[in-house]
Amino acid sequence: MGKFNKTGKREMPALNTSSLPDLIFTLLFFFMIVTTMREVTLKVQFKLPQGTELEKLEKKSLVTFIYIGEPTQEYRAKMGTESRIQLNDSYAEVSEVQDFIFQERSSMREDEQAMMTVSLKVDQKTKMGIVTDVKNALRQAYALKINYSAVSKD
Amino acid sequence: MAKGKRKVPDINSSSTADIAFLLLIFFLITTSMDTDRGLARRLPPPPEQKDQENTDKIKERNVLQVYLNKDDQLMCGDEYISVNQLRGKAKEFIANADNDEAKPERIQKDIPFFGLTMITDKHVISLQNDRGSSYQAYISVQNELVAAYNELRNELALQKWQKNYAELTEDQQKAIRDIYPQRISEAEPKKYGEKK
């Protein structure tokens, strides 16, 4: 009896932190895997339109992006505020869209070319005229699977 | 006078955690978790020859005309409506539940799971917009039309299998898609002030 009643100073055992690096590494690897780095620097600014019936964009490697919107602040002086198309890293005209699609398609694997999707990231205030021109160019280039990028409304 | 066994001193690993943290924070910042979402669409292939346009006539009752003008006003059939009303209009049109003369004709077709069913196989929703319409308005209209189809499909799925459309098997979904095929056609946009 009385065994529980130990007297004397008790020291708090130090917390074993030797596995802490492993924990952090696990997290690190998780983020390394899910990270997708932004490949292009945006030269146009856009606020995506809102929708409710959205579908997820599958297979990032098969997706080509076309951006349409007003030039960002630093290019305003040169380009004005008219809506512009951006392909890869530079501004482009509608006539260049077709070549761009062919180029992108030839860089894909042959069996994946048919599944190519073009995602249109267009500012919500853009006039439909320019969008229609791009759509027609895409039709001419036989890039028929498209996706109007939007954010869900809630 | 070296001793037989020398102990290799332990590498002080107390800072590995810090290094890992540093990397972790870098990736945390650069990560963009947002998955791209959007309205998926299929464009029609380019016209082969300009003069060989639409030889097969579509009956007037099979077409629902939706116009969007440069001020983002919406016209459906022959009346002005708001975007919120469009979904209901489209659903009525696609389903044609009460066999209306003015709505698309229903054709009997053999569909797996359902047997012989009357479906409005030939209906077309024709969307025409102005070059001056805003993109947001255009997407709203597209969104409402897709929503109309999705709601109809879901209703049918609930009625038949008491399940949501998304939970059905591949074959069941295909059967429902056969009953409510998505037919949205986009006409060449008109330019305001241009005669056509």
Side-chain angles (χ1 to χ4, degrees):
Chain A
M1 286 304 198
K3 268 185 184 168
F4 299 110
N5 197 13
K6 275 187 184 156
T7 46
K9 244 203 228 164
R10 260 193 298 171
E11 252 177 54
M12 175 83 122
L15 193 64
N16 188 0
T17 55
S18 60
S19 57
L20 185 66
D22 303 342
L23 285 173
I24 305 302
F25 268 118
T26 326
L27 276 173
L28 176 65
F29 287 137
F30 169 71
F31 278 101
M32 276 176 74
I33 289 164
V34 298
T35 295
T36 46
M37 301 258 186
R38 200 186 278 282
E39 280 160 35
V40 293
T41 44
L42 289 175
K43 287 186 173 176
V44 294
Q45 57 185 25
F46 52 80
K47 205 170 153 227
L48 293 175
Q50 296 177 325
T52 50
E53 313 293 315
L54 305 179
E55 292 166 41
K56 261 201 189 129
L57 206 52
E58 285 156 24
K59 285 223 180 166
K60 280 267 167 72
S61 59
L62 300 177
V63 179
T64 309
F65 291 98
I66 292 178
Y67 306 91
I68 305 174
E70 290 175 2
T72 45
Q73 212 67 49
E74 48 194 311
Y75 295 100
R76 284 274 164 84
K78 218 162 41 181
M79 313 300 294
T81 54
E82 197 63 20
S83 290
R84 304 279 309 198
I85 305 168
Q86 184 188 349
L87 304 171
N88 277 342
D89 272 333
S90 57
Y91 293 115
E93 297 299 325
V94 177
S95 52
E96 293 166 55
V97 171
Q98 209 168 334
D99 288 333
F100 170 74
I101 294 295
F102 285 136
Q103 220 175 70
E104 288 287 309
R105 188 180 286 149
S106 59
S107 68
M108 282 179 191
R109 287 219 325 262
E110 205 151 296
D111 52 329
E112 287 180 337
Q113 287 181 358
M115 312 216 303
M116 177 181 185
T117 311
V118 179
S119 173
L120 294 173
K121 292 192 172 248
V122 185
D123 186 75
Q124 49 175 261
K125 289 198 204 71
T126 314
K127 298 281 177 232
M128 274 309 290
I130 189 166
V131 182
T132 312
D133 292 340
V134 170
K135 263 163 57 185
N136 275 337
L138 291 178
R139 274 176 70 182
Q140 295 298 332
Y142 276 94
L144 303 178
K145 261 182 86 173
I146 60 168
N147 186 300
Y148 300 112
S149 202
V151 290
S152 51
K153 188 192 315 191
D154 39 25
Chain B
M1 285 294 239
K3 276 180 193 166
K5 257 189 189 171
R6 250 197 302 173
K7 242 192 176 176
V8 180
D10 280 336
I11 297 169
N12 186 1
S13 62
S14 60
S15 56
T16 24
D18 302 342
I19 296 167
F21 260 123
L22 214 69
L23 283 168
L24 176 64
I25 288 164
F26 169 72
F27 277 101
L28 265 171
I29 291 168
T30 52
T31 296
S32 58
M33 289 280 237
D34 56 321
T35 44
D36 275 309
R37 299 162 72 84
L39 288 171
R41 276 274 88 115
R42 254 200 111 74
L43 295 173
E48 299 280 307
Q49 276 168 336
K50 280 267 161 77
D51 49 355
Q52 197 193 23
E53 272 179 29
N54 281 348
T55 40
D56 50 334
K57 285 245 163 50
I58 301 170
K59 279 187 198 158
E60 205 174 314
R61 61 181 286 199
N62 287 334
V63 184
L64 180 72
Q65 299 274 10
V66 180
Y67 298 105
L68 188 65
N69 78 356
K70 73 170 180 36
D71 298 318
D72 295 345
Q73 285 164 322
L74 193 62
M75 195 169 110
C76 177
D78 44 13
E79 50 184 323
Y80 277 111
I81 58 166
S82 73
V83 181
N84 306 335
Q85 291 168 280
L86 180 63
R87 190 184 303 195
K89 280 253 181 206
K91 276 174 77 177
E92 264 174 50
F93 172 81
I94 300 160
N96 189 13
D98 39 356
N99 244 329
D100 196 330
E101 277 287 309
K103 301 228 174 76
E105 52 192 329
R106 285 148 66 98
I107 297 162
Q108 210 167 41
K109 215 175 171 186
D110 193 18
I111 306 246
F113 300 111
F114 290 90
L116 282 176
T117 326
M118 301 289 278
I119 58 170
T120 56
D121 197 30
K122 284 188 177 155
H123 80 268
V124 174
I125 296 180
S126 161
L127 173 60
Q128 180 157 49
N129 58 276
D130 192 275
R131 289 186 68 92
S133 335
S134 83
Y135 186 62
Q136 171 67 61
Y138 174 76
I139 288 296
S140 304
V141 170
Q142 288 266 7
N143 187 57
E144 287 306 305
L145 293 179
V146 175
Y149 280 107
N150 285 352
E151 271 185 24
L152 280 173
R153 287 174 181 175
N154 219 5
E155 277 166 23
L156 187 65
L158 281 174
Q159 188 193 327
K160 177 93 179 166
W161 289 290
Q162 289 83 41
K163 270 191 203 161
N164 280 322
Y165 176 69
E167 293 161 10
L168 299 180
T169 63
E170 197 76 11
D171 290 340
Q172 290 170 331
Q173 286 193 356
K174 194 181 172 301
I176 289 191
R177 276 205 303 275
D178 283 343
I179 292 181
Y180 293 126
Q182 194 166 314
R183 296 195 203 286
I184 303 174
S185 121
E186 290 178 48
E188 275 297 299
K190 279 189 182 138
K191 197 169 178 206
Y192 181 71
E194 200 179 64
K195 272 180 191 161
K196 204 183 171 186

